[in-house]
Amino acid sequence: MTADFETQLRAVSLRVTRPRLAVLAALRDHPHVDTDTVIALVRAEQPTVSHQAVYDVLRALTDAGLIRRIQPAGATARYESRVGDNHHHVVCRSCGAIADVECAVGGAPCLTASDDHGFVVDEAEVVYWGTCPGCAADRTAQ
């Protein structure tokens, strides 16, 4: 898998570094995590990596399109490595859990604006809000 990450980094003209590889691996294994969680995951493998290094890597990988930063209303920013497919998310109002949802209808950008005002639309962002199964079960048990 490291070879795949190295290929991805080189394809967008980024140097292959241990912190970049560690962030990509963390997001592959733990989608939809916040910055503090990414830092903890990276430091579990590389204890000497600084907070600033992880912030810099997240910004560089986001700018290069290798990872995606999402921030549902009222929530902290989260990161994921699934990019380029215009998928959406469902967010639990209780615990904040996030799951991927495939494209709503048709091909990307999934939805057709009723009036695009002359814009060339290339992406639609949809966030579904609700209660995850775990929180729903907790409410029922109470």
Side-chain angles (χ1 to χ4, degrees), residues 16-121:
V16 175
T17 65
R18 289 180 52 205
R20 287 177 178 162
L21 294 172
V23 168
L24 287 170
L27 293 177
R28 175 201 58 213
D29 297 339
H30 305 276
H32 312 124
V33 292
D34 62 15
T35 305
D36 289 339
T37 303
V38 174
I39 291 168
L41 292 166
V42 169
R43 284 187 150 181
E45 299 297 318
Q46 298 179 27
T48 60
V49 173
S50 70
H51 282 69
Q52 190 60 50
V54 175
Y55 283 114
D56 292 345
V57 167
L58 288 169
R59 185 175 53 254
L61 296 177
T62 300
D63 291 348
L66 293 180
I67 64 173
R68 181 177 174 194
R69 181 181 185 273
I70 61 170
Q71 188 166 9
T76 60
R78 307 287 184 97
Y79 294 89
E80 65 181 345
S81 59
R82 184 175 170 186
V83 296
D85 64 353
N86 195 220
H87 70 279
H88 308 298
H89 298 95
V90 60
V91 181
C92 179
R93 291 184 189 278
S94 296
C95 69
I98 299 175
D100 291 333
V101 176
E102 298 306 318
C103 201
V105 177
C110 300
L111 304 173
T112 303
S114 60
D115 183 353
D116 62 21
H117 299 276
F119 284 65
V120 177
V121 177

